[in-house]
Amino acid sequence: MQVEKKLQEKAKELRREIIRMIGANHVGHFGGSLSVVEIMTVLYFHQMKYDPLNPNQKGRDRLVLSKGHSAPAQYAAMALAGYFPREELLSLKQLGSRLQGHPNLACLPGIEANTGSLGQGLSMVIGMALAERLQKERGRFYVILGDGELQEGQVWEAAMAAANFGLHTITAIVDHNKLQATGPICQRMNVGELRPKWEAFGWQVIEVNGHSIPELIQAFQAAERNVKGPTVIIAHTVKGKGVSFMEGVAKYHNGLVNENEFQQALAELE
Amino acid sequence: MESCRVWYGRELLALAKEDPTIVALDADLSRSTMSTFIEQELPQQFFEIGIAEQNMVGIAAGLALNGMKPFVHSFAVFLTGRAYDQIRQVIAYPALNVKLVGSSAGLSDFGDGATHQSLEDISLMRTLPNMIVISPADHVQTKAITNYLTGYRGPAYLRLSRAETEQIFPEDYRFALGKVDLLLQGDDLAIISTGTLTGTALRAARRMEAQGIKATVINVSTIKPLDRKDLLKAIGGIRRVLTIEEHSIYGGLGSTVAEILIQEKCGYHLKSMGVRDLFGQSGENHQELLKHYQLTEDDLIAAAAALTSD
């Protein structure tokens, strides 16, 4: 209970930082950042083994944010975890900033892969896991995908390969918020039933409420117990979660808030 | 005549035996790209990715991020075209230590036609920041470059032909990134070539000599980063320059040379030979296609005669 409460507080803090970091009168990826907050929180503050002071440590657990546009959520978690000072969050997307619009490992230690062009994160995680198998390291690999991102064919090439190679150290998390940039996924390009798709590709599938910290914790533990092949956690989420006027509204995928809305969002997250 | 791809495959195997971090990836073309040597002898260091080039490039990025030295194989056209965005986003942008080996480049896959021939790959790879682009002219150079690449840290594109080539370089040849190879010296014009057509350029130059035209022949294996000063030194005082390549005239060797020479104050008279904004097609053999696209010794001699007569 204590752990859960602490993580819930962290999640709230992450949401505030996401809003502050994007700020008023700036376009930013609010929706998909807010929907992955609990996933980020559980990964960074409960599940993953890493050392922010030694970000290249061998055998560490790794997270690749395949839906790179949710970078504000990852940056917030990394700042709170101690990778860099919290004030630096306000440099998001500024010229010369280490916090690029989409993650760039060349400038920010702790970022494991360059993402932004959708559909590519899982492939990279497969390469990392294959390398660790040769090197006899024991890290685990986490990759967060968007549900709209599943429209990219490369995701399914990679899904096939991860199962083919029996990479049980990989856990994929689908942020299933049901909205893509231009509207509901079921209307824009229906990705259909996710469970049978992933199962058919040879994955263990676990479905959770992606905003429930205990459900996420349990799912990650179940993934770790599976030594046969990869696991995907389909996390049912709400895009824009935590800010009333953003919840379930597609335009905040990459949207703008005015000063009043900015203050309202922060007030709701107090 | 020797096959560059076979020499490449053998050399990579020899190097991989010494260095367990070298791994090869292929997309169901290992018997053509010659990654099959590693597959057979070092199966632990080989990954069959299936017919999925985009995934293959992403997996290579992940391997490199974990300290491995991946060599990624497919036909040049599929690797650089099908997986262009992946190469750009996850190899070139983060400057990862991945070697991309594009096989059956140019028109060398003569029978399969335009879908399998690659006349745009140099152009595509050359425009990417952090990417180096290398195109060897014979098996000796191929072997030396393969060796060099295992020690080079960063993204690289190696362009290999399916065609056999005659030996141009001595056995003790040593590769230096960016440097050109001055193969023959003459005062009338400079022929600058790459890949399979360097042998053609040398043969043409020898025939021209008999006709009283003295040509300098310069092989450019490092298309990028090409050492400007080294190229200018090799050209010397010659002002008539002819480039020839088994690639589109847009964005390849000819463009690279023109970009350098146009910056110089002295006026050069340039002509670029290559495939002129066309797709390839099927043919009975490689030579037939080279003839059709006007890239033979005879075509080179005619172009040189025209260039030196005005």
Side-chain angles (χ1 to χ4, degrees), chain B residues 96-131:
Chain B
L96 296 186
N97 192 20
V98 174
K99 308 297 178 276
L100 304 161
V101 184
S103 211
S104 289
L107 298 161
S108 64
D109 185 1
F110 51 85
D112 283 325
T115 53
H116 286 54
Q117 295 161 353
S118 187
L119 300 169
E120 309 92 35
D121 52 316
I122 294 176
S123 177
L124 284 169
M125 292 298 101
R126 197 168 70 89
T127 195
L128 290 172
N130 298 325
M131 184 67 71

PDB file of all heavy atoms in Angstrom, chain B residues 96-131:
ATOM      1  N   LEU B  96      25.543   5.306 -35.244  1.00  0.00           N
ATOM      2  CA  LEU B  96      25.842   3.993 -34.670  1.00  0.00           C
ATOM      3  C   LEU B  96      26.838   3.218 -35.527  1.00  0.00           C
ATOM      4  O   LEU B  96      26.952   3.423 -36.735  1.00  0.00           O
ATOM      5  CB  LEU B  96      24.554   3.182 -34.492  1.00  0.00           C
ATOM      6  CG  LEU B  96      23.550   3.776 -33.510  1.00  0.00           C
ATOM      7  CD1 LEU B  96      22.381   2.825 -33.306  1.00  0.00           C
ATOM      8  CD2 LEU B  96      24.193   4.098 -32.167  1.00  0.00           C
ATOM      9  N   ASN B  97      27.515   2.304 -34.863  1.00  0.00           N
ATOM     10  CA  ASN B  97      28.578   1.527 -35.502  1.00  0.00           C
ATOM     11  C   ASN B  97      27.980   0.350 -36.290  1.00  0.00           C
ATOM     12  O   ASN B  97      28.129  -0.808 -35.900  1.00  0.00           O
ATOM     13  CB  ASN B  97      29.531   1.035 -34.408  1.00  0.00           C
ATOM     14  CG  ASN B  97      30.814   0.481 -34.983  1.00  0.00           C
ATOM     15  OD1 ASN B  97      31.162   0.775 -36.123  1.00  0.00           O
ATOM     16  ND2 ASN B  97      31.500  -0.334 -34.204  1.00  0.00           N
ATOM     17  N   VAL B  98      27.311   0.676 -37.376  1.00  0.00           N
ATOM     18  CA  VAL B  98      26.653  -0.337 -38.207  1.00  0.00           C
ATOM     19  C   VAL B  98      27.206  -0.234 -39.630  1.00  0.00           C
ATOM     20  O   VAL B  98      27.317   0.862 -40.174  1.00  0.00           O
ATOM     21  CB  VAL B  98      25.121  -0.133 -38.220  1.00  0.00           C
ATOM     22  CG1 VAL B  98      24.455  -1.088 -39.206  1.00  0.00           C
ATOM     23  CG2 VAL B  98      24.542  -0.321 -36.824  1.00  0.00           C
ATOM     24  N   LYS B  99      27.548  -1.373 -40.205  1.00  0.00           N
ATOM     25  CA  LYS B  99      28.038  -1.412 -41.573  1.00  0.00           C
ATOM     26  C   LYS B  99      26.941  -1.962 -42.472  1.00  0.00           C
ATOM     27  O   LYS B  99      26.428  -3.071 -42.240  1.00  0.00           O
ATOM     28  CB  LYS B  99      29.287  -2.312 -41.667  1.00  0.00           C
ATOM     29  CG  LYS B  99      30.367  -1.949 -40.649  1.00  0.00           C
ATOM     30  CD  LYS B  99      30.914  -0.543 -40.870  1.00  0.00           C
ATOM     31  CE  LYS B  99      31.948  -0.144 -39.830  1.00  0.00           C
ATOM     32  NZ  LYS B  99      31.393   0.386 -38.588  1.00  0.00           N
ATOM     33  N   LEU B 100      26.571  -1.181 -43.473  1.00  0.00           N
ATOM     34  CA  LEU B 100      25.525  -1.582 -44.406  1.00  0.00           C
ATOM     35  C   LEU B 100      26.203  -2.056 -45.678  1.00  0.00           C
ATOM     36  O   LEU B 100      26.960  -1.300 -46.294  1.00  0.00           O
ATOM     37  CB  LEU B 100      24.620  -0.385 -44.694  1.00  0.00           C
ATOM     38  CG  LEU B 100      24.001   0.258 -43.443  1.00  0.00           C
ATOM     39  CD1 LEU B 100      23.529   1.669 -43.746  1.00  0.00           C
ATOM     40  CD2 LEU B 100      22.846  -0.588 -42.919  1.00  0.00           C
ATOM     41  N   VAL B 101      25.942  -3.289 -46.061  1.00  0.00           N
ATOM     42  CA  VAL B 101      26.610  -3.847 -47.231  1.00  0.00           C
ATOM     43  C   VAL B 101      25.564  -4.092 -48.313  1.00  0.00           C
ATOM     44  O   VAL B 101      24.761  -5.021 -48.226  1.00  0.00           O
ATOM     45  CB  VAL B 101      27.351  -5.147 -46.868  1.00  0.00           C
ATOM     46  CG1 VAL B 101      28.116  -5.669 -48.078  1.00  0.00           C
ATOM     47  CG2 VAL B 101      28.294  -4.916 -45.694  1.00  0.00           C
ATOM     48  N   GLY B 102      25.588  -3.221 -49.319  1.00  0.00           N
ATOM     49  CA  GLY B 102      24.623  -3.305 -50.417  1.00  0.00           C
ATOM     50  C   GLY B 102      25.234  -4.103 -51.559  1.00  0.00           C
ATOM     51  O   GLY B 102      26.191  -3.692 -52.192  1.00  0.00           O
ATOM     52  N   SER B 103      24.665  -5.259 -51.806  1.00  0.00           N
ATOM     53  CA  SER B 103      25.222  -6.173 -52.797  1.00  0.00           C
ATOM     54  C   SER B 103      24.451  -6.062 -54.116  1.00  0.00           C
ATOM     55  O   SER B 103      23.394  -5.446 -54.172  1.00  0.00           O
ATOM     56  CB  SER B 103      25.134  -7.596 -52.228  1.00  0.00           C
ATOM     57  OG  SER B 103      26.181  -8.380 -52.693  1.00  0.00           O
ATOM     58  N   SER B 104      24.979  -6.683 -55.156  1.00  0.00           N
ATOM     59  CA  SER B 104      24.347  -6.645 -56.497  1.00  0.00           C
ATOM     60  C   SER B 104      24.050  -5.212 -56.925  1.00  0.00           C
ATOM     61  O   SER B 104      22.988  -4.932 -57.495  1.00  0.00           O
ATOM     62  CB  SER B 104      23.063  -7.479 -56.518  1.00  0.00           C
ATOM     63  OG  SER B 104      23.374  -8.848 -56.440  1.00  0.00           O
ATOM     64  N   ALA B 105      24.997  -4.311 -56.650  1.00  0.00           N
ATOM     65  CA  ALA B 105      24.788  -2.894 -56.960  1.00  0.00           C
ATOM     66  C   ALA B 105      24.886  -2.645 -58.458  1.00  0.00           C
ATOM     67  O   ALA B 105      25.348  -3.498 -59.224  1.00  0.00           O
ATOM     68  CB  ALA B 105      25.807  -2.055 -56.204  1.00  0.00           C
ATOM     69  N   GLY B 106      24.455  -1.468 -58.858  1.00  0.00           N
ATOM     70  CA  GLY B 106      24.487  -1.083 -60.264  1.00  0.00           C
ATOM     71  C   GLY B 106      23.581  -1.977 -61.084  1.00  0.00           C
ATOM     72  O   GLY B 106      22.481  -2.345 -60.655  1.00  0.00           O
ATOM     73  N   LEU B 107      24.067  -2.358 -62.261  1.00  0.00           N
ATOM     74  CA  LEU B 107      23.276  -3.196 -63.172  1.00  0.00           C
ATOM     75  C   LEU B 107      23.681  -4.665 -63.061  1.00  0.00           C
ATOM     76  O   LEU B 107      23.280  -5.489 -63.891  1.00  0.00           O
ATOM     77  CB  LEU B 107      23.488  -2.714 -64.612  1.00  0.00           C
ATOM     78  CG  LEU B 107      23.040  -1.272 -64.892  1.00  0.00           C
ATOM     79  CD1 LEU B 107      23.707  -0.738 -66.160  1.00  0.00           C
ATOM     80  CD2 LEU B 107      21.518  -1.203 -65.018  1.00  0.00           C
ATOM     81  N   SER B 108      24.466  -4.989 -62.034  1.00  0.00           N
ATOM     82  CA  SER B 108      25.118  -6.304 -62.012  1.00  0.00           C
ATOM     83  C   SER B 108      24.139  -7.468 -61.846  1.00  0.00           C
ATOM     84  O   SER B 108      24.449  -8.584 -62.219  1.00  0.00           O
ATOM     85  CB  SER B 108      26.203  -6.342 -60.926  1.00  0.00           C
ATOM     86  OG  SER B 108      25.654  -6.184 -59.634  1.00  0.00           O
ATOM     87  N   ASP B 109      22.962  -7.206 -61.263  1.00  0.00           N
ATOM     88  CA  ASP B 109      21.935  -8.260 -61.269  1.00  0.00           C
ATOM     89  C   ASP B 109      21.158  -8.110 -62.581  1.00  0.00           C
ATOM     90  O   ASP B 109      20.007  -7.693 -62.605  1.00  0.00           O
ATOM     91  CB  ASP B 109      21.023  -8.110 -60.050  1.00  0.00           C
ATOM     92  CG  ASP B 109      20.028  -9.259 -59.942  1.00  0.00           C
ATOM     93  OD1 ASP B 109      20.073 -10.165 -60.817  1.00  0.00           O
ATOM     94  OD2 ASP B 109      19.220  -9.260 -59.011  1.00  0.00           O
ATOM     95  N   PHE B 110      21.836  -8.478 -63.662  1.00  0.00           N
ATOM     96  CA  PHE B 110      21.324  -8.159 -65.012  1.00  0.00           C
ATOM     97  C   PHE B 110      19.987  -8.812 -65.318  1.00  0.00           C
ATOM     98  O   PHE B 110      19.096  -8.212 -65.893  1.00  0.00           O
ATOM     99  CB  PHE B 110      22.376  -8.528 -66.071  1.00  0.00           C
ATOM    100  CG  PHE B 110      22.901  -9.933 -65.937  1.00  0.00           C
ATOM    101  CD1 PHE B 110      22.229 -10.989 -66.510  1.00  0.00           C
ATOM    102  CD2 PHE B 110      24.069 -10.191 -65.214  1.00  0.00           C
ATOM    103  CE1 PHE B 110      22.706 -12.286 -66.379  1.00  0.00           C
ATOM    104  CE2 PHE B 110      24.547 -11.485 -65.085  1.00  0.00           C
ATOM    105  CZ  PHE B 110      23.861 -12.539 -65.667  1.00  0.00           C
ATOM    106  N   GLY B 111      19.805 -10.053 -64.906  1.00  0.00           N
ATOM    107  CA  GLY B 111      18.602 -10.789 -65.303  1.00  0.00           C
ATOM    108  C   GLY B 111      17.338 -10.308 -64.602  1.00  0.00           C
ATOM    109  O   GLY B 111      16.266 -10.270 -65.195  1.00  0.00           O
ATOM    110  N   ASP B 112      17.465  -9.916 -63.359  1.00  0.00           N
ATOM    111  CA  ASP B 112      16.272  -9.601 -62.567  1.00  0.00           C
ATOM    112  C   ASP B 112      15.619  -8.277 -62.943  1.00  0.00           C
ATOM    113  O   ASP B 112      14.481  -8.007 -62.552  1.00  0.00           O
ATOM    114  CB  ASP B 112      16.611  -9.623 -61.081  1.00  0.00           C
ATOM    115  CG  ASP B 112      16.717 -11.054 -60.563  1.00  0.00           C
ATOM    116  OD1 ASP B 112      15.941 -11.901 -61.053  1.00  0.00           O
ATOM    117  OD2 ASP B 112      17.555 -11.326 -59.695  1.00  0.00           O
ATOM    118  N   GLY B 113      16.355  -7.425 -63.625  1.00  0.00           N
ATOM    119  CA  GLY B 113      15.741  -6.183 -64.095  1.00  0.00           C
ATOM    120  C   GLY B 113      15.744  -5.058 -63.070  1.00  0.00           C
ATOM    121  O   GLY B 113      16.383  -5.138 -62.031  1.00  0.00           O
ATOM    122  N   ALA B 114      14.952  -4.033 -63.409  1.00  0.00           N
ATOM    123  CA  ALA B 114      14.999  -2.748 -62.682  1.00  0.00           C
ATOM    124  C   ALA B 114      14.714  -2.878 -61.192  1.00  0.00           C
ATOM    125  O   ALA B 114      15.288  -2.156 -60.379  1.00  0.00           O
ATOM    126  CB  ALA B 114      14.012  -1.772 -63.312  1.00  0.00           C
ATOM    127  N   THR B 115      13.834  -3.812 -60.811  1.00  0.00           N
ATOM    128  CA  THR B 115      13.458  -3.921 -59.396  1.00  0.00           C
ATOM    129  C   THR B 115      14.645  -4.300 -58.524  1.00  0.00           C
ATOM    130  O   THR B 115      14.690  -3.963 -57.344  1.00  0.00           O
ATOM    131  CB  THR B 115      12.373  -5.000 -59.186  1.00  0.00           C
ATOM    132  OG1 THR B 115      12.846  -6.231 -59.778  1.00  0.00           O
ATOM    133  CG2 THR B 115      11.055  -4.594 -59.824  1.00  0.00           C
ATOM    134  N   HIS B 116      15.598  -5.034 -59.115  1.00  0.00           N
ATOM    135  CA  HIS B 116      16.722  -5.549 -58.338  1.00  0.00           C
ATOM    136  C   HIS B 116      18.028  -4.813 -58.600  1.00  0.00           C
ATOM    137  O   HIS B 116      19.046  -5.106 -58.000  1.00  0.00           O
ATOM    138  CB  HIS B 116      16.918  -7.039 -58.625  1.00  0.00           C
ATOM    139  CG  HIS B 116      15.877  -7.908 -57.984  1.00  0.00           C
ATOM    140  ND1 HIS B 116      14.529  -7.700 -58.175  1.00  0.00           N
ATOM    141  CD2 HIS B 116      15.984  -8.967 -57.139  1.00  0.00           C
ATOM    142  CE1 HIS B 116      13.853  -8.610 -57.487  1.00  0.00           C
ATOM    143  NE2 HIS B 116      14.700  -9.388 -56.857  1.00  0.00           N
ATOM    144  N   GLN B 117      17.996  -3.883 -59.556  1.00  0.00           N
ATOM    145  CA  GLN B 117      19.213  -3.138 -59.880  1.00  0.00           C
ATOM    146  C   GLN B 117      19.225  -1.838 -59.087  1.00  0.00           C
ATOM    147  O   GLN B 117      18.178  -1.284 -58.774  1.00  0.00           O
ATOM    148  CB  GLN B 117      19.261  -2.878 -61.397  1.00  0.00           C
ATOM    149  CG  GLN B 117      19.387  -4.186 -62.179  1.00  0.00           C
ATOM    150  CD  GLN B 117      18.979  -4.065 -63.636  1.00  0.00           C
ATOM    151  OE1 GLN B 117      18.464  -3.038 -64.073  1.00  0.00           O
ATOM    152  NE2 GLN B 117      19.188  -5.139 -64.393  1.00  0.00           N
ATOM    153  N   SER B 118      20.421  -1.369 -58.773  1.00  0.00           N
ATOM    154  CA  SER B 118      20.523  -0.216 -57.883  1.00  0.00           C
ATOM    155  C   SER B 118      21.340   0.886 -58.529  1.00  0.00           C
ATOM    156  O   SER B 118      22.556   0.781 -58.637  1.00  0.00           O
ATOM    157  CB  SER B 118      21.158  -0.649 -56.569  1.00  0.00           C
ATOM    158  OG  SER B 118      21.110   0.419 -55.674  1.00  0.00           O
ATOM    159  N   LEU B 119      20.660   1.941 -58.934  1.00  0.00           N
ATOM    160  CA  LEU B 119      21.337   3.053 -59.599  1.00  0.00           C
ATOM    161  C   LEU B 119      21.193   4.345 -58.796  1.00  0.00           C
ATOM    162  O   LEU B 119      21.555   5.418 -59.257  1.00  0.00           O
ATOM    163  CB  LEU B 119      20.754   3.240 -61.011  1.00  0.00           C
ATOM    164  CG  LEU B 119      20.908   2.006 -61.915  1.00  0.00           C
ATOM    165  CD1 LEU B 119      20.080   2.146 -63.187  1.00  0.00           C
ATOM    166  CD2 LEU B 119      22.377   1.767 -62.257  1.00  0.00           C
ATOM    167  N   GLU B 120      20.645   4.235 -57.597  1.00  0.00           N
ATOM    168  CA  GLU B 120      20.390   5.436 -56.786  1.00  0.00           C
ATOM    169  C   GLU B 120      21.025   5.344 -55.404  1.00  0.00           C
ATOM    170  O   GLU B 120      20.944   6.273 -54.612  1.00  0.00           O
ATOM    171  CB  GLU B 120      18.881   5.641 -56.596  1.00  0.00           C
ATOM    172  CG  GLU B 120      18.060   5.602 -57.865  1.00  0.00           C
ATOM    173  CD  GLU B 120      17.538   4.196 -58.174  1.00  0.00           C
ATOM    174  OE1 GLU B 120      17.215   3.457 -57.236  1.00  0.00           O
ATOM    175  OE2 GLU B 120      17.462   3.828 -59.361  1.00  0.00           O
ATOM    176  N   ASP B 121      21.628   4.196 -55.074  1.00  0.00           N
ATOM    177  CA  ASP B 121      22.061   3.953 -53.693  1.00  0.00           C
ATOM    178  C   ASP B 121      23.157   4.902 -53.208  1.00  0.00           C
ATOM    179  O   ASP B 121      23.130   5.346 -52.063  1.00  0.00           O
ATOM    180  CB  ASP B 121      22.497   2.491 -53.519  1.00  0.00           C
ATOM    181  CG  ASP B 121      23.525   2.053 -54.547  1.00  0.00           C
ATOM    182  OD1 ASP B 121      23.361   2.377 -55.728  1.00  0.00           O
ATOM    183  OD2 ASP B 121      24.503   1.389 -54.166  1.00  0.00           O
ATOM    184  N   ILE B 122      24.112   5.236 -54.073  1.00  0.00           N
ATOM    185  CA  ILE B 122      25.186   6.139 -53.630  1.00  0.00           C
ATOM    186  C   ILE B 122      24.571   7.488 -53.263  1.00  0.00           C
ATOM    187  O   ILE B 122      24.860   8.060 -52.205  1.00  0.00           O
ATOM    188  CB  ILE B 122      26.251   6.331 -54.740  1.00  0.00           C
ATOM    189  CG1 ILE B 122      26.982   5.005 -55.006  1.00  0.00           C
ATOM    190  CG2 ILE B 122      27.234   7.431 -54.363  1.00  0.00           C
ATOM    191  CD1 ILE B 122      27.985   5.070 -56.160  1.00  0.00           C
ATOM    192  N   SER B 123      23.677   7.941 -54.123  1.00  0.00           N
ATOM    193  CA  SER B 123      23.025   9.225 -53.900  1.00  0.00           C
ATOM    194  C   SER B 123      22.260   9.239 -52.577  1.00  0.00           C
ATOM    195  O   SER B 123      22.373  10.168 -51.779  1.00  0.00           O
ATOM    196  CB  SER B 123      22.073   9.482 -55.069  1.00  0.00           C
ATOM    197  OG  SER B 123      21.371  10.663 -54.888  1.00  0.00           O
ATOM    198  N   LEU B 124      21.506   8.178 -52.334  1.00  0.00           N
ATOM    199  CA  LEU B 124      20.709   8.103 -51.098  1.00  0.00           C
ATOM    200  C   LEU B 124      21.585   8.094 -49.852  1.00  0.00           C
ATOM    201  O   LEU B 124      21.290   8.763 -48.866  1.00  0.00           O
ATOM    202  CB  LEU B 124      19.860   6.821 -51.107  1.00  0.00           C
ATOM    203  CG  LEU B 124      18.623   6.829 -51.991  1.00  0.00           C
ATOM    204  CD1 LEU B 124      18.050   5.426 -52.097  1.00  0.00           C
ATOM    205  CD2 LEU B 124      17.580   7.772 -51.413  1.00  0.00           C
ATOM    206  N   MET B 125      22.657   7.329 -49.886  1.00  0.00           N
ATOM    207  CA  MET B 125      23.498   7.186 -48.695  1.00  0.00           C
ATOM    208  C   MET B 125      24.402   8.400 -48.488  1.00  0.00           C
ATOM    209  O   MET B 125      24.697   8.786 -47.366  1.00  0.00           O
ATOM    210  CB  MET B 125      24.353   5.912 -48.796  1.00  0.00           C
ATOM    211  CG  MET B 125      23.557   4.627 -48.719  1.00  0.00           C
ATOM    212  SD  MET B 125      22.674   4.417 -47.130  1.00  0.00           S
ATOM    213  CE  MET B 125      21.006   4.884 -47.601  1.00  0.00           C
ATOM    214  N   ARG B 126      24.806   9.029 -49.604  1.00  0.00           N
ATOM    215  CA  ARG B 126      25.761  10.120 -49.520  1.00  0.00           C
ATOM    216  C   ARG B 126      25.168  11.350 -48.839  1.00  0.00           C
ATOM    217  O   ARG B 126      25.858  12.128 -48.211  1.00  0.00           O
ATOM    218  CB  ARG B 126      26.195  10.495 -50.952  1.00  0.00           C
ATOM    219  CG  ARG B 126      27.437  11.312 -51.040  1.00  0.00           C
ATOM    220  CD  ARG B 126      27.911  11.355 -52.471  1.00  0.00           C
ATOM    221  NE  ARG B 126      27.060  12.133 -53.323  1.00  0.00           N
ATOM    222  CZ  ARG B 126      27.206  13.453 -53.523  1.00  0.00           C
ATOM    223  NH1 ARG B 126      28.176  14.104 -52.931  1.00  0.00           N
ATOM    224  NH2 ARG B 126      26.397  14.104 -54.319  1.00  0.00           N
ATOM    225  N   THR B 127      23.870  11.502 -48.936  1.00  0.00           N
ATOM    226  CA  THR B 127      23.238  12.696 -48.392  1.00  0.00           C
ATOM    227  C   THR B 127      23.029  12.605 -46.878  1.00  0.00           C
ATOM    228  O   THR B 127      22.700  13.594 -46.239  1.00  0.00           O
ATOM    229  CB  THR B 127      21.897  12.946 -49.128  1.00  0.00           C
ATOM    230  OG1 THR B 127      21.465  14.268 -48.862  1.00  0.00           O
ATOM    231  CG2 THR B 127      20.828  11.982 -48.688  1.00  0.00           C
ATOM    232  N   LEU B 128      23.238  11.424 -46.311  1.00  0.00           N
ATOM    233  CA  LEU B 128      23.002  11.258 -44.877  1.00  0.00           C
ATOM    234  C   LEU B 128      24.206  11.717 -44.055  1.00  0.00           C
ATOM    235  O   LEU B 128      25.309  11.198 -44.240  1.00  0.00           O
ATOM    236  CB  LEU B 128      22.716   9.786 -44.552  1.00  0.00           C
ATOM    237  CG  LEU B 128      21.384   9.234 -45.050  1.00  0.00           C
ATOM    238  CD1 LEU B 128      21.320   7.728 -44.842  1.00  0.00           C
ATOM    239  CD2 LEU B 128      20.221   9.914 -44.343  1.00  0.00           C
ATOM    240  N   PRO B 129      24.017  12.645 -43.120  1.00  0.00           N
ATOM    241  CA  PRO B 129      25.112  13.017 -42.220  1.00  0.00           C
ATOM    242  C   PRO B 129      25.625  11.783 -41.466  1.00  0.00           C
ATOM    243  O   PRO B 129      24.849  10.863 -41.184  1.00  0.00           O
ATOM    244  CB  PRO B 129      24.462  14.008 -41.251  1.00  0.00           C
ATOM    245  CG  PRO B 129      23.288  14.554 -41.980  1.00  0.00           C
ATOM    246  CD  PRO B 129      22.797  13.434 -42.859  1.00  0.00           C
ATOM    247  N   ASN B 130      26.884  11.776 -41.166  1.00  0.00           N
ATOM    248  CA  ASN B 130      27.587  10.701 -40.435  1.00  0.00           C
ATOM    249  C   ASN B 130      27.876   9.452 -41.273  1.00  0.00           C
ATOM    250  O   ASN B 130      28.638   8.589 -40.860  1.00  0.00           O
ATOM    251  CB  ASN B 130      26.844  10.227 -39.168  1.00  0.00           C
ATOM    252  CG  ASN B 130      26.691  11.315 -38.137  1.00  0.00           C
ATOM    253  OD1 ASN B 130      27.589  12.155 -38.004  1.00  0.00           O
ATOM    254  ND2 ASN B 130      25.599  11.314 -37.406  1.00  0.00           N
ATOM    255  N   MET B 131      27.249   9.335 -42.439  1.00  0.00           N
ATOM    256  CA  MET B 131      27.417   8.120 -43.236  1.00  0.00           C
ATOM    257  C   MET B 131      28.635   8.251 -44.146  1.00  0.00           C
ATOM    258  O   MET B 131      28.813   9.277 -44.796  1.00  0.00           O
ATOM    259  CB  MET B 131      26.161   7.894 -44.088  1.00  0.00           C
ATOM    260  CG  MET B 131      26.162   6.596 -44.898  1.00  0.00           C
ATOM    261  SD  MET B 131      26.084   5.119 -43.875  1.00  0.00           S
ATOM    262  CE  MET B 131      24.381   5.225 -43.283  1.00  0.00           C
TER     263      MET B 131
END
